[in-house]
Every structure is written in structure tokens, then in C-alpha cells.
Amino acid sequence: MTATADAAAPLVSEEDRLRADLYNFLGLILASPPDEFLLGQTAGLQGDDTDLGVAINALAKIAKLSKPPAVEREFNKLFIGLGRGELLPYASYYLTGFLNEKPLAQLRRDMAARGMTRAQNVYEPEDNIASLMEMMGALIAGRFGEPASLADQKTFFNTHIGPWAGHFFSDLEKAKNSVLYASVGAVGRVFMEIEAEGFRMSAEKSA
């Protein structure tokens, strides 16, 4: 994914920067197997005693014990496999049971409206979980112009992420081939719950 026009990222609040960073991290580690550098960064993460912090600490702990070749095998079993992996991380599949369905078409319309296009070297359908995490982080941080308003973030989340991402992360957490990615799933699941609740509370305040 890339922007049709590059723009200097404007200032956002510290809370939103942290949200964007976590979305971007999930997008990165779900897009391809982490190399030694990303595993090292993951091992250095530090959480607190909240549910999300506990999940982040667990991920950091297993990242310290993980080696790139083993994680690559794990990634391939989960997402690639022979013909298909254990999981199909696409909104269309989770919402309709089929790939390349209406959720993808709607996402492409919303991407165009926000000045987002698929990068030329990316061939995955845009509704895969890694791309959606990256898009959400970019909207929050303002990588495609002005940072998205809270209302626009909520609309994008509730349309393209909220209805299925929590289910995907829960499946990833429990998948037969998940080791490192079981902890990634836990972080994603808890984060999606926090985001959904945050958007719900913001709607109540504005009502």
C-alpha cells in the first residue's frame, strides 16, 4: 500500500501515535515473516499490567526465544501452505466465506476516496489483515494527508476491521501451527477490543 501523494506526517497526540505504532507493528509482522531485526525489536517491547500490556510482554518473551527460520516455517504453515495456509486472513473470507467479495470492493472504493492505492509490488488482495492494520495506522498518523478525524477512524474501523479482525486474531491465537503468532494473535485480539470500546465510548460522549 502507498499514498498517491506523499505528505509530511503532521503532529498527532501521543496516544494516537502509540495506537498508530501498534497498528503498524501488527501490519508489519503479519505481512511477512519477521527477520532477525524485527524479532529483536519485538523482544524489546515492554508492556504494563493491563490486558494489552500482559499480552505484549508475553509476545516479547517468546520473540526472545524465536529464530527467523523457525518463524518463517510457522508463517508459511499459517498463511501460505500447500494451496492455502491454516488461516485465510482476508475480510471477504471472514465476512462472506469467499475471497474477493463485496468487502474487498467496498474497501477499494474507500481507499480511493482517501488517496490510498495498492503498492505496485504487492499482489495480495487489499482486504488482508496486514494491509488493513497498515491502513488504519496510516489514517491515524496522517500518512495520506491530514490525520483522520476520530469519526472517520471509527467509520473505517467499523466498516473494514471491527466486524472480523477480532475473530481472526482469536483464530490466530488458537491455530494449530501458531507459536510466536499465538502471542501476536493475543495482542491483536486485545487491541481490537480496546479500539472497539474506545470508538463506542466516543459515540456515547458525542450523542
Side-chain angles (χ1 to χ4, degrees):
M1 186 189 66
T2 186
T4 54
D6 290 330
L11 293 175
V12 297
S13 70
E14 181 64 19
E15 179 183 357
D16 281 348
R17 175 64 61 188
L18 291 172
R19 289 174 59 224
D21 286 348
L22 186 47
Y23 273 113
N24 290 332
F25 168 77
L26 288 170
L28 188 61
I29 204 166
L30 289 164
S32 60
D35 58 16
E36 191 167 355
F37 179 75
L38 181 55
L39 278 176
Q41 287 187 315
T42 305
L45 295 174
Q46 291 184 327
D48 51 24
D49 58 359
T50 63
D51 288 346
L52 181 58
V54 169
I56 286 172
N57 285 333
L59 173 59
K61 185 176 180 180
I62 195 165
K64 290 178 184 176
L65 304 173
S66 300
K67 302 296 181 185
V71 177
E72 182 174 4
R73 289 192 296 271
E74 178 184 346
F75 184 94
N76 290 340
K77 289 177 182 178
L78 285 167
F79 304 122
I80 300 174
L82 295 174
R84 56 160 284 185
E86 185 176 352
L87 300 177
L88 289 171
Y90 304 95
S92 289
Y93 180 77
Y94 268 80
L95 296 175
T96 73
F98 300 95
L99 297 175
N100 302 314
E101 287 292 324
K102 287 183 179 179
L104 177 57
Q106 184 176 9
L107 174 63
R108 285 172 172 166
R109 288 194 297 269
D110 286 351
M111 286 175 63
R114 290 171 168 83
M116 292 186 279
T117 59
R118 184 168 66 175
Q120 292 184 350
N121 61 338
V122 174
Y123 303 102
E124 286 273 296
E126 294 91 328
D127 65 338
N128 73 81
I129 189 68
S131 291
L132 284 167
M133 294 293 101
E134 183 187 354
M135 289 180 211
M136 190 71 189
L139 288 172
I140 295 168
R143 277 180 49 203
F144 303 107
E146 290 297 315
S149 67
L150 189 61
D152 193 32
Q153 292 177 36
K154 178 184 176 183
T155 296
F156 190 88
F157 180 90
N158 287 346
T159 302
H160 302 295
I161 297 174
W164 76 282
H167 297 294
F168 164 77
F169 282 120
S170 181
D171 288 345
L172 182 60
E173 197 175 1
K174 297 178 291 187
K176 179 180 65 175
N177 290 297
S178 280
V179 183
L180 174 74
Y181 279 92
S183 291
V184 174
V187 170
R189 174 181 56 78
V190 175
F191 185 41
M192 293 302 98
E193 292 170 357
I194 291 170
E195 286 286 278
E197 178 65 11
F199 288 129
R200 185 189 68 78
M201 291 177 64
S202 71
E204 289 182 355
K205 289 179 181 178
S206 62

